[in-house]
Amino acid sequence: MTRYATLAAILSQRIEQGLYPTGQRLPSVRTLSQEHGVSISTVQQAYRLLEESQLVEARPKSGYFVRGVRTLAELPAVTRPVQRPVDISQWEQVLELIRTKPREDLVQLGRGMPDISEPTLKPLIKALGHMGRHGDLRSLYYDNIQGVMGLREQIARLLLDSGCQISADQLVITTGCHEALSAGLRAVCQPGDIVAVDSPCFHGTMQTLKGLGMKALEVPTDPLTGISLEALEMALDQWPIKAILLTPNCNNPLGYIMPEARKQRLLTLAQRHDVAIIEDDVYGDIAYQYPRPRTIKSFDDDGRVLLCSSFSKTLAPGLRIGWIAPGRYLERVLHMKYIGTGSTATQPQLAIADFIRHGHYLQHLRRMRTRYQQNRDLMTGWIMKYFPPGTRVSQPRGGFMLWIELDDEFDTLRLNRYLERQGVQIAVGSIFSASGKYRNCLRINYAPKLTSEIEQAVRRVGETIQSLLLAPVAGIESALAQRG
Amino acid sequence: MTRYATLAAILSQRIEQGLYPTGQRLPSVRTLSQEHGVSISTVQQAYRLLEESQLVEARPKSGYFVRGVRTLAELPAVTRPVQRPVDISQWEQVLELIRTKPREDLVQLGRGMPDISEPTLKPLIKALGHMGRHGDLRSLYYDNIQGVMGLREQIARLLLDSGCQISADQLVITTGCHEALSAGLRAVCQPGDIVAVDSPCFHGTMQTLKGLGMKALEVPTDPLTGISLEALEMALDQWPIKAILLTPNCNNPLGYIMPEARKQRLLTLAQRHDVAIIEDDVYGDIAYQYPRPRTIKSFDDDGRVLLCSSFSKTLAPGLRIGWIAPGRYLERVLHMKYIGTGSTATQPQLAIADFIRHGHYLQHLRRMRTRYQQNRDLMTGWIMKYFPPGTRVSQPRGGFMLWIELDDEFDTLRLNRYLERQGVQIAVGSIFSASGKYRNCLRINYAPKLTSEIEQAVRRVGETIQSLLLAPVAGIESALAQRG
Ligand SMILES: Cc1ncc(COP(=O)(O)O)c(C=O)c1O
Ligand SMILES: Cc1ncc(COP(=O)(O)O)c(C=O)c1O
């Protein structure tokens, strides 16, 4: 990284962490130059970068100030899901979402796709194309069931950044994070068992519990600090919970990063009640802060945390390469992995190992961090502009999703029906709940280049919401049909 | 194909089907020339090809005769497994087999790898390398959860050859046949349920039952005609069986093709007892006969057959692309597929669709059919040459595995220990049984080019068997160490 980019990263992290609150004046160019031992022009370049990413604004003659876009929107409320174990529903709605594939005529704001158009991804595409050149056909064979050693070594190295010292031998490569979660769950729980989850919670996890015949106990969750430890403790006292499954870093869909102290307390709770933790870290590497946040796994001293992740959000989902660090459950996870899919595809493993080894992965992360953070601010601005007053919006600290909470009575399922005809798709809130809560919420993806076409799509969503709020149910069909 | 190759294929097929039994004189050159409307020299070339593949022999002045290599070896006995539902063991032995990866210093006769060195596979390697050229990045995205439509269409077309009329909508692409089997089983059975299987049976299937908490009921199986319908019927009367899982075409490990009439009777049995059939057809396309054998699925008229397959044996296992035609269980299979791995990797699906579309797949099959058939005869010859008298050998009619039965008391686990030090690996028989039977059996792969290095490896296996049979247990270590 260049000097000015490093400095910009440091400043943006401080802003991110609230050290410089919104509206506050930032240190002068001269002060920073002395503090960091860099030239005046380096500091100026750093500030220009921060201006471009809309984090700071220059006020003539006064200096640089922290911009406040994000705090203009109110946060979603702390969630209050049904606090008993429930069977999961909503499969039809999930199926509707995942059956779609990229289409020209549909702005898909609903799916969890990263942006793959950045040039920093090019070396990966090249590596993937290297299939079988020079007569090396190893990529057509099965490899070790645990995964290609070269890739496991690279992942072990990357894991250091999240505070984890895990050797390649303790890792299992999987077919995406999906398989990591599924194998992990099957390794520690039986059908009928109760699993505590943060709420709202990724629909894939919900459906996995459903498919495995397990019950979800949804725990209230704060949109800034994550799962409520108090509520979790009560639940652990009250129910025979077998595992806690959660996404503490850059949570999907809420976007929070659980503070370190709470991660440690959660682990202590799990130890006291002797339950396993399944930690989904699939967005952890695209936290906007640098260095990236620690995992719960990094505090784990008795192997009870199963850390699950993949390259689906950081690189590309079509690769289907993920991993799990299953701690003491290695043997069982390996068995579950074997019976689920056998060995993992060899070629993408070789290509990704190559990509990481040559430093391209970290470079790509750096770029995506900045890009997604800028997009978050832009998208938040659009939501506030086009959505009805009173709309509550999450403040993600990583990843590329916004969680939007509307009026209590609003029905996003109905909204989606109207939107489809207008060529827009969102993710309805109810699929993030075992019990079908959050019908008044939706999730929007801000990963792609935010073109005016997307702005128009967001505007259509906002306007449709407004009409649905105003129009009497009967008349709305025709009202909307006219504009359709 | 050239004329003479076509003629040779027709003749070899007739021999294969028993129309010309061993030792019989084949039609004269002149007769064939007239019958097929080809020149004398074309027929001569065809016979020369059949001679090379050791299917026929020329006897001076008398003409061509069907060679009897295969019938020189006695067949393995009809199996008599424990006939009650059992929990599955042997995971450690399976793990030992599947943890290995291709290695220079080890002749791996144990794993189920096809040969991937034929030039007919080149267009696939090229298609796989087309990743992202021309800015088409669709292969980096998730596609439809059911799989890429273009590939499903091609598979639907191929399925016609096995007598199946299945539309692309009724197919789900999976991560290899492993996932097809696993999703299929989870769709029709619950933990604790009993599944009837042919025996011996692919170790992956066994381990899947184990991992899903199901019980296997192993049914006696004939090495030429497959699962005993009589024994199966008794089992169905006696136990609450939920599904029948079997590999009727080019069975792994026995190599038989179940006759059509028996396939139909099996289906009738399943209908009468209202159980599902999970049909593993992973080797069906590399039957030595042409056209390929029909599937049980092709007779299915009420959607109870779940047909599972993949490109792992016909193309390459490292691709991890398979499929399932789940009949009436489509919705549940789709759910199980989603929670197991999410969407299947996009790029290999696009590449394989391309490969099939351009006719390369059928061309590759043609070549592999001939190659594997030749290899079968060569390997059978080696076994008979180097293994102790009385060794029983299967007569596979497709695929690339031999099943070898030794003296009742022989222990192939012990054999494998000795072989490892000599750089050879075999698959021990016990992993093909739920209850650890078949310790006196082993499976050998004859897919690769059968070099003299492989012949030497087979010879070492034979000699080690002989020494283990002769040497007293105590002294053998040193005896073998010397040769090690
Ligand atoms: C929190 C979370 N976990 C897991 C996954 C699944 O990841 P993969 O595509 O690697 O299976 C997703 C993707 O949508 C996700 O958002
Ligand atoms: C009978 C049988 N079924 C399924 C499989 C697994 O196939 P795949 O590699 O496509 O998962 C194998 C491979 O060993 C096999 O022999």
Side-chain angles (χ1 to χ4, degrees), chain B residues 258-323:
Chain B
M258 205 172 160
E260 268 186 26
R262 296 179 70 86
K263 285 176 182 155
Q264 279 178 286
R265 274 180 56 206
L266 181 92
L267 181 65
T268 310
L269 263 184
Q271 285 171 337
R272 192 162 346 120
H273 289 83
D274 196 21
V275 301
I277 296 177
I278 301 178
E279 179 178 23
D280 184 342
D281 189 53
V282 79
Y283 297 92
D285 275 356
I286 39 171
Y288 306 149
Q289 70 190 62
Y290 184 82
R292 55 147 291 164
R294 290 184 65 157
T295 51
I296 301 173
K297 177 80 181 171
S298 72
F299 301 106
D300 182 24
D301 50 17
D302 64 354
R304 72 175 60 244
V305 181
L306 299 93
L307 179 70
C308 303
S309 193
S310 80
F311 295 104
S312 297
K313 309 300 172 178
T314 49
L315 299 178
L319 303 169
R320 312 307 303 129
I321 299 296
W323 67 91

Side-chain angles (χ1 to χ4, degrees), chain A residues 91 98-99 113 133 140-141 144 146 178-179 182 203-204 207 317-318 320 334-335 338-341 343 345, chain B residues 91 98-99 113 133 140-142 144 146 178-179 182 203 207 317-318 320 334-335 338-341 343 345:
Chain A
W91 165 234
I98 60 179
R99 251 191 176 151
M113 302 276 203
R133 303 256 178 85
L140 289 179
Y141 273 134
N144 183 323
Q146 248 184 284
H178 257 97
E179 187 177 38
S182 172
H203 51 80
Q207 293 302 322
R320 312 308 302 132
L334 212 51
H335 193 254
Y338 174 61
I339 71 164
T341 57
S343 301
Chain B
W91 166 234
I98 59 178
R99 253 193 174 149
M113 303 277 204
R133 302 255 177 85
L140 289 178
Y141 273 133
Y142 293 116
N144 183 324
Q146 249 185 283
H178 256 97
E179 186 176 40
S182 172
H203 52 79
Q207 294 303 321
R320 312 307 303 129
L334 212 51
H335 193 253
Y338 174 61
I339 71 165
T341 57
S343 302

Side-chain angles (χ1 to χ4, degrees), chain A residues 84-252:
Chain A
R84 54 181 162 70
V86 290
D87 288 319
I88 291 121
S89 47
Q90 280 77 44
W91 165 234
E92 289 71 25
Q93 293 154 32
V94 173
L95 189 57
E96 193 179 314
L97 183 66
I98 60 179
R99 251 191 176 151
T100 58
K101 47 174 252 176
R103 262 169 49 193
E104 292 287 315
D105 60 337
L106 187 67
V107 181
Q108 289 173 325
L109 300 172
R111 290 199 70 179
M113 302 276 203
D115 183 45
I116 54 168
S117 65
E118 288 292 328
T120 43
L121 210 55
K122 287 237 169 90
L124 177 66
I125 295 165
K126 210 163 150 210
L128 284 163
H130 262 296
M131 189 75 181
R133 303 256 178 85
H134 323 296
D136 175 8
L137 294 177
R138 147 180 84 117
S139 56
L140 289 179
Y141 273 134
Y142 293 117
D143 205 280
N144 183 323
I145 182 78
Q146 248 184 284
V148 168
M149 185 45 111
L151 179 60
R152 283 186 279 140
E153 282 166 359
Q154 292 306 320
I155 293 173
R157 222 160 52 83
L158 291 176
L159 283 173
L160 293 171
D161 287 349
S162 59
C164 285
Q165 297 227 327
I166 293 176
S167 74
D169 283 342
Q170 297 166 285
L171 288 170
V172 179
I173 306 296
T174 57
T175 308
C177 191
H178 257 97
E179 187 177 38
L181 292 168
S182 172
L185 268 170
R186 281 180 285 141
V188 300
C189 300
Q190 300 295 319
D193 282 352
I194 302 170
V195 178
V197 297
D198 42 17
S199 175
C201 171
F202 168 50
H203 51 80
T205 303
M206 288 290 169
Q207 293 302 322
T208 304
L209 292 176
K210 175 184 168 74
L212 299 175
M214 298 167 190
K215 284 176 201 304
L217 197 151
E218 300 176 274
V219 180
T221 297
D222 183 286
L224 280 181
T225 58
I227 196 167
S228 159
L229 297 177
E230 300 66 29
L232 177 63
E233 184 158 15
M234 274 180 57
L236 285 166
D237 284 337
Q238 200 173 348
W239 304 99
I241 290 168
K242 278 291 170 54
I244 306 164
L245 196 166
L246 75 179
T247 309
N249 289 324
C250 320
N251 177 270
N252 172 9

